Amino acid sequence: MREAKEDIRYQDYDIPKRCFVVPFLSAVHLNETVYEEALNFKPWRWMIPENQAIFSFLALFAPFGGGARFCPGAELARLQIALFLHYFITTFRLWNQLKEDRMSFFPSARLVNGFQIQLRRIPDDDRK
């Protein structure tokens, strides 16, 4: 949600100052000029190379939108990440960065070189 800081004219719309704008994010996937048969259920459309280029530029994947239709696997994903991090942190030490890296914030926050590291396993006797 964004608040207009001044009166804005966008295409055929007048957005008054202090008005809140809420984007309908999942509508990105319904654009017939971007995706052929966008209104039909075709989850494999993102496997098409041409669509992958569009998708990476938009950096937005929200087929379920938010609210009541939020991704049904979101809680499971959070649990899996927590379990992975616990195992990872309690099993490995001595991280050596193999290649210099830097952050990029377009189209989304990521490490340019993928943060390549070398790990050493903690011996079972030393793990708590």
Side-chain angles (χ1 to χ4, degrees):
M1 183 162 53
R2 297 289 184 255
E3 179 182 2
K5 300 296 181 189
E6 58 189 49
D7 290 341
I8 298 170
R9 176 89 173 153
Y10 178 75
Q11 294 181 1
D12 294 332
Y13 300 95
D14 289 317
I15 304 170
K17 182 179 180 177
R18 292 190 295 278
C19 180
F20 287 95
V21 177
V22 181
F24 179 40
L25 298 177
S26 60
V28 169
H29 308 291
L30 305 176
N31 188 340
E32 292 278 347
T33 62
V34 176
Y35 300 110
E36 186 178 321
E37 298 181 60
L39 299 176
N40 293 334
F41 181 71
K42 291 186 172 184
W44 54 87
R45 73 176 48 138
W46 291 280
M47 301 298 287
I48 300 168
E50 296 83 28
N51 290 346
Q52 287 179 350
I54 294 166
F55 173 66
S56 65
F57 175 75
L58 293 174
L60 177 63
F61 181 66
F64 297 103
R69 292 190 175 108
F70 193 71
C71 176
E75 291 303 316
L76 176 61
R78 284 188 187 101
L79 175 63
Q80 288 177 319
I81 291 168
L83 290 171
F84 165 78
L85 287 173
H86 170 78
Y87 179 80
F88 185 75
I89 290 170
T90 59
T91 305
F92 296 98
R93 288 286 188 273
L94 301 174
W95 303 16
N96 296 324
Q97 188 171 348
L98 299 176
K99 190 174 187 179
E100 284 296 314
D101 217 335
R102 64 183 175 81
M103 289 292 295
S104 172
F105 295 97
F106 183 80
S108 62
R110 64 183 175 82
L111 288 161
V112 174
N113 294 319
F115 193 59
Q116 298 175 26
I117 58 173
Q118 179 181 31
L119 303 170
R120 294 214 174 105
R121 189 180 186 94
I122 300 172
D124 291 337
D125 296 343
D126 294 342
R127 291 201 340 221
K128 297 176 183 175

